[in-house]
């Protein structure tokens, strides 16, 4: 390479947006462009001739010479030709994430490695921020759900307690008057025992539900999740005079889901459906939840269908936008969160009109075993 | 008149069983229904007693039923029961005419006290209604002329003034006045005023 063409090349490299660093077989830095200076905080003259491992944190700094030696010896490519996310070490000691692509070039007898680096701190931070937001929203949404459920669960426990107290008081009163009818007593005592078990069953189910509260991806049977959510909402549904029918396909394959988040989606969709049928006649206060396996697309689909007035055509395209709401007091958060959750599961949430009523469909991937 | 009965409407079978046992142990007649419609279908128009009503039921809710009762002229005092009391629900129930609002699980003594008070209230309302109907019956027998005389009497006018106002003789007024008193089953004008008061506006 002539002196002139080397200068031209350096000028070209300096215009690149990405950092471009070349090293020789010994790992010593041969060139360091302007973008690399900006990314790592070193001037080119500070690093040229030095081992490239000063740009990486431990343990890579220690092991990098061995990586090169290993490649030169075996010819096995671990990173060359493949981009990957690695950590960089700035002059000021800060460790940051970067995308690294490594290429190999021969110039005459000399073998050079070219590293193209891009600082992805901003992208990572946005990703983490988005994830944190989603967690927060899901949490807020779950708290809302919990406060709605608390009333229903109180009712579920208070019913058997009412029966127990009433039977016990009836027996006491008969006893005080000396009216000892064994049949009446036996009937009341049986009821007391049975209703005690009923109350403890409610507590047990609630405890199971809360225990599953840790957020994690795990294989799950969607039908069981649906049944749990419907059970928790039974009181609320009843209170609004809404009947909910289940049309769940048996032997659905498992789906990889964060159960808590999927429950959240179901709560939201069912609540929306309840709102949708609030103003229609009693015979249309119906919600149908259906699940089915689509073997062709390797998906499990879940429909929440109501028999309300349906969704205005104008609203359909905007339904999942944040802060868009068709409800007077709606915050426009529910469906937006739902779609984000479903998409985080590599699934899709869509809506259409089923005439009468609206249908929301959750599609989740169910890869063949 | 039907014997005083505690009508119980709750969709929870266990709750119905418990409350029925408790009320029966106190010697009260109980008629339990699983839903509001079945109660409406079987409740006699002149039902006496009180209604113990769960707020939260499928189909016709407790509050709906309360409204329906009023339009059907059923005057049973209503006690609302709820599994999860909320202030708005309580206010709504009481505004709609419930005599009390109890939260489940409710104390047996409190429940029985409230039920007894409701039964007493119903009996009193029923007696007052009897008196009113009797008074209205009597007043309905009066002729147009006798009503004119009655109006004069309730305004505290003497026979002479009434005769003058109506343009008839004082003697005729006296005859009508005697007839009014007889038809209303009373002997004095003071008693007559009581009958008029009992009949009320209705």
């Amino acid at each position: 390479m002539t002196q002139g063409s080397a200068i031209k090349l350096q000028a070209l490299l300096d215009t690149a947006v990405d950092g471009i660093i070349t090293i020789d077989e010994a790992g010593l830095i041969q060139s360091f462009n302007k973008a690399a200076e900006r990314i790592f905080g070193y001037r080119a003259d500070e690093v040229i001739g030095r081992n490239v491992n000063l740009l990486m944190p431990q343990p890579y700094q220690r092991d990098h010479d061995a990586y090169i030696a290993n490649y030169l010896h075996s010819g096995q490519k671990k990173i060359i030709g493949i981009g990957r996310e690695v950590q960089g070490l700035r002059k000021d000691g800060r460790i940051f994430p970067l995308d690294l692509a490594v290429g190999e070039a021969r110039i005459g007898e000399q073998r050079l490695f070219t590293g193209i680096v891009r600082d992805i701190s901003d992208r990572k931070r946005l990703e983490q921020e988005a994830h944190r937001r989603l967690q927060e929203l899901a949490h807020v949404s779950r708290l809302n759900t919990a406060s709605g459920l608390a009333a229903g669960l109180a009712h579920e426990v208070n019913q058997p307690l009412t029966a127990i107290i009433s039977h016990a008081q009836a027996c006491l009163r008969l006893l005080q008057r000396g009216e000892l009818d064994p049949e009446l007593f036996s009937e009341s005592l049986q009821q007391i025992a049975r209703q005690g078990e009923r109350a403890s069953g409610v507590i047990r189910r609630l405890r199971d539900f809360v225990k599953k509260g840790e957020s994690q991806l795990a294989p799950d049977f969607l039908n069981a999740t649906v049944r749990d959510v419907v059970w928790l909402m039974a009181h609320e549904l009843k209170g609004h005079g809404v009947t909910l029918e289940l049309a769940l396909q048996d032997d659905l394959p498992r789906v990889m889901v964060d159960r808590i988040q999927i429950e959240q989606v179901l709560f939201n969709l069912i609540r929306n459906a309840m709102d949708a049928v609030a103003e229609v006649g009693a015979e249309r206060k119906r919600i149908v939840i259906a699940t089915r396996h689509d073997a062709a697309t390797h998906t499990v689909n879940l429909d929440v269908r109501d028999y309300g007035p349906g969704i205005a055509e104008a609203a359909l395209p905007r339904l999942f936008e944040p802060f868009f709401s068709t409800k007077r007091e709606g915050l426009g958060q529910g469906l937006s969160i739902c779609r984000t959750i479903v998409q985080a599961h590599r699934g899709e949430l869509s809506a259409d009109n089923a005439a009468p009523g609206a249908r929301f469909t959750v599609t989740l991937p169910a890869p063949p075993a | 008149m039907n014997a005083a009965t505690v009508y119980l409407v709750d969709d929870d079978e266990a709750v119905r069983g418990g409350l029925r046992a408790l009320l029966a142990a106190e010697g009260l007649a109980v008629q339990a229904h699983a839903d509001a419609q079945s109660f409406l279908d079987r409740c006699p128009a002149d039902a006496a007693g009180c209604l113990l009503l769960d707020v939260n039921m499928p189909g016709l809710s407790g509050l709906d039923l309360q409204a329906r009762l009023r339009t059907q002229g059923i005057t049973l005092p209503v006690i609302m029961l709820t599994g999860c009391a909320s202030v708005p629900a309580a206010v709504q129930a009481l505004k709609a005419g419930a005599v009390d609002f109890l939260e489940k699980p409710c104390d047996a003594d409190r429940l029985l006290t409230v039920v007894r008070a409701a039964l007493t209230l119903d009996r009193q309302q029923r007696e007052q209604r009897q008196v009113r109907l009797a008074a209205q019956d009597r007043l309905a027998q009066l002729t147009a002329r006798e009503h004119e005389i009655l109006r004069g009497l309730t305004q505290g006018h003497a026979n002479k003034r009434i005769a003058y106002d109506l343009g008839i003789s004082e003697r005729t007024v006296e005859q009508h006045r005697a007839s009014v008193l007889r038809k209303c089953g009373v002997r004095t004008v003071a008693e007559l005023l009581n009958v008029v008061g009992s009949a009320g506006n209705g």
Side-chain angles (χ1 to χ4, degrees):
Chain A
M1 195 156 40
T2 66
Q3 184 71 21
S5 62
I7 290 168
K8 264 189 228 162
L9 178 62
Q10 190 58 47
L12 193 66
L13 292 179
D14 282 344
T15 62
V17 178
D18 292 335
I20 301 174
I21 303 162
T22 52
I23 59 171
D24 63 13
E25 291 180 351
L28 302 179
I29 297 173
Q30 303 298 305
S31 77
F32 200 74
N33 76 343
K34 284 267 184 272
E37 287 183 335
R38 201 177 56 245
I39 291 170
F40 289 97
Y42 287 104
R43 287 195 320 276
D45 59 32
E46 289 179 284
V47 293
I48 284 174
R50 295 179 67 183
N51 193 314
V52 72
N53 66 11
L54 93 154
L55 301 177
M56 43 193 94
Q58 298 294 5
Y60 313 104
Q61 189 170 90
R62 188 181 59 230
D63 297 339
H64 192 256
D65 286 348
Y67 296 158
I68 300 178
N70 186 46
Y71 170 65
L72 293 174
H73 177 71
S74 70
Q76 258 188 359
K77 296 178 177 177
K78 293 271 174 63
I79 189 166
I80 294 167
I82 316 161
R84 74 157 71 152
E85 191 183 313
V86 297
Q87 289 184 325
L89 178 65
R90 278 176 59 89
K91 187 181 180 184
D92 61 15
R94 191 167 61 84
I95 296 170
F96 63 99
L98 54 84
D99 265 343
L100 169 67
V102 178
E104 186 182 356
R106 277 175 193 278
I107 298 173
E109 283 300 292
Q110 212 187 0
R111 183 144 58 167
L112 288 175
F113 300 104
T114 315
I116 299 177
V117 296
R118 175 176 297 178
D119 184 346
I120 55 169
S121 304
D122 287 347
R123 194 180 83 204
K124 290 294 272 193
R125 199 166 49 241
L126 284 176
E127 274 173 18
Q128 276 165 5
E129 176 70 8
H131 185 70
R132 197 182 55 77
R133 284 282 299 155
L134 178 62
Q135 295 277 50
E136 261 176 28
L137 285 172
H139 181 67
V140 168
S141 180
R142 190 161 182 82
L143 283 183
N144 285 338
T145 309
S147 68
L149 291 178
L153 286 166
H155 186 261
E156 284 305 311
V157 179
N158 282 340
Q159 297 287 72
L161 288 183
T162 304
I164 290 169
I165 291 171
S166 304
H167 276 294
Q169 285 285 352
C171 289
L172 280 173
R173 276 151 213 270
L174 291 173
L175 206 55
Q176 275 160 10
R177 286 207 304 272
E179 292 176 30
L180 298 169
D181 181 337
E183 207 172 312
L184 271 181
F185 271 68
S186 147
E187 161 89 33
S188 280
L189 290 172
Q190 273 178 23
Q191 274 301 319
I192 288 172
R194 201 172 301 151
Q195 295 306 314
E197 281 170 22
R198 176 179 165 196
S200 80
V202 173
I203 305 290
R204 195 166 46 241
R205 279 189 86 158
L206 180 65
R207 210 169 38 212
D208 288 349
F209 179 75
V210 173
K211 230 185 328 198
K212 289 182 203 117
E214 291 134 32
S215 175
Q216 56 180 16
L217 274 182
D220 189 43
F221 289 111
L222 194 59
N223 286 351
T225 309
V226 171
R227 287 204 181 91
D228 275 4
V229 169
V230 169
W231 177 78
L232 281 165
M233 296 187 78
H235 177 71
E236 213 174 324
L237 287 159
K238 202 171 77 174
H240 289 82
V242 177
T243 45
L244 190 145
E245 296 154 42
L246 295 179
L248 307 180
Q249 181 185 318
D250 291 335
D251 58 52
L252 283 184
R254 293 194 200 206
V255 283
M256 280 298 285
V257 292
D258 182 328
R259 188 182 167 116
I260 296 300
Q261 294 191 354
I262 293 300
E263 280 169 357
Q264 204 52 55
V265 172
L266 282 168
F267 277 125
N268 270 296
L269 295 181
I270 297 173
R271 283 249 168 79
N272 281 349
M274 278 171 59
D275 288 346
V277 297
E279 306 286 327
V280 298
E283 74 290 348
R284 276 178 58 185
K285 287 191 188 297
R286 275 178 73 200
I287 300 174
V288 180
I289 299 184
T291 57
R292 66 191 173 279
H293 177 219
D294 188 336
T297 57
H298 302 302
T299 56
V300 167
N301 302 313
L302 176 140
D303 290 340
V304 177
R305 194 239 160 115
D306 65 64
Y307 287 77
I311 303 160
E313 285 301 320
L316 262 177
R318 299 191 55 204
L319 217 49
F320 297 99
E321 288 175 20
F323 306 109
F324 177 79
S325 182
T326 58
K327 299 178 196 167
R328 201 154 14 114
E329 286 160 14
L331 295 175
Q333 288 293 319
L335 283 175
S336 157
I337 294 173
C338 285
R339 173 170 268 188
T340 312
I341 289 174
V342 175
Q343 286 175 344
H345 285 82
R346 289 181 296 120
E348 198 40 77
L349 173 63
S350 58
D352 63 347
N353 280 313
R359 175 174 50 211
F360 286 82
T361 303
V362 177
T363 306
L364 291 169
Chain B
M1 200 200 291
N2 285 285
T5 303
V6 179
Y7 295 89
L8 171 62
V9 184
D10 194 307
D11 65 317
D12 193 300
E13 192 186 346
V15 171
R16 283 202 306 277
L19 293 178
R20 183 209 289 276
L22 176 62
L23 294 165
E26 284 294 295
L28 295 164
V30 186
Q31 202 187 98
H33 296 276
D35 60 77
Q37 195 56 53
S38 120
F39 164 75
L40 279 176
D41 291 346
R42 261 165 263 160
C43 172
D46 59 345
C50 69
L51 176 58
L52 211 48
L53 186 59
D54 185 41
V55 177
N56 202 300
M57 288 186 298
L60 212 54
S61 79
L63 291 169
D64 294 337
L65 176 59
Q66 226 179 336
R68 188 77 77 81
L69 288 177
R70 272 205 317 258
T71 61
Q72 294 197 2
I74 295 175
T75 57
L76 288 176
V78 177
I79 301 161
M80 284 291 197
L81 285 174
T82 175
C84 41
S86 71
V87 172
V91 168
Q92 203 184 346
L94 295 175
K95 269 190 180 164
V99 294
D100 224 317
F101 192 86
L102 295 176
E103 190 179 359
K104 289 180 193 169
C106 44
D107 179 71
D109 286 328
R110 167 123 173 82
L111 175 78
L112 291 168
T113 306
V114 169
V115 165
R116 291 229 173 72
L119 291 175
T120 305
L121 176 69
D122 182 58
R123 198 175 57 244
Q124 287 168 349
Q125 284 179 345
R126 220 157 272 286
E127 283 166 3
Q128 281 167 10
R129 190 156 55 239
Q130 286 301 323
V131 171
R132 185 171 74 240
L133 288 177
Q136 285 170 352
D137 275 353
R138 288 186 184 277
L139 294 181
Q141 293 167 19
L142 303 186
T143 64
R145 179 58 96 190
E146 285 165 353
H147 271 292
E148 286 172 342
I149 306 291
L150 176 64
R151 198 173 307 125
L153 290 173
T154 56
Q155 284 165 354
H157 296 162
N159 289 355
K160 196 177 208 166
R161 165 78 189 276
I162 296 171
Y164 175 80
D165 284 346
L166 296 177
I168 54 177
S169 77
E170 206 175 326
R171 183 164 172 75
T172 311
V173 171
E174 265 167 32
Q175 281 170 1
H176 283 309
R177 175 183 165 139
S179 171
V180 168
L181 290 176
R182 183 170 40 75
K183 282 182 176 175
C184 288
V186 294
R187 281 169 303 171
T188 65
V189 172
E191 286 172 329
L192 178 66
L193 292 181
N194 261 337
V195 172
V196 174
S198 298
N201 297 322

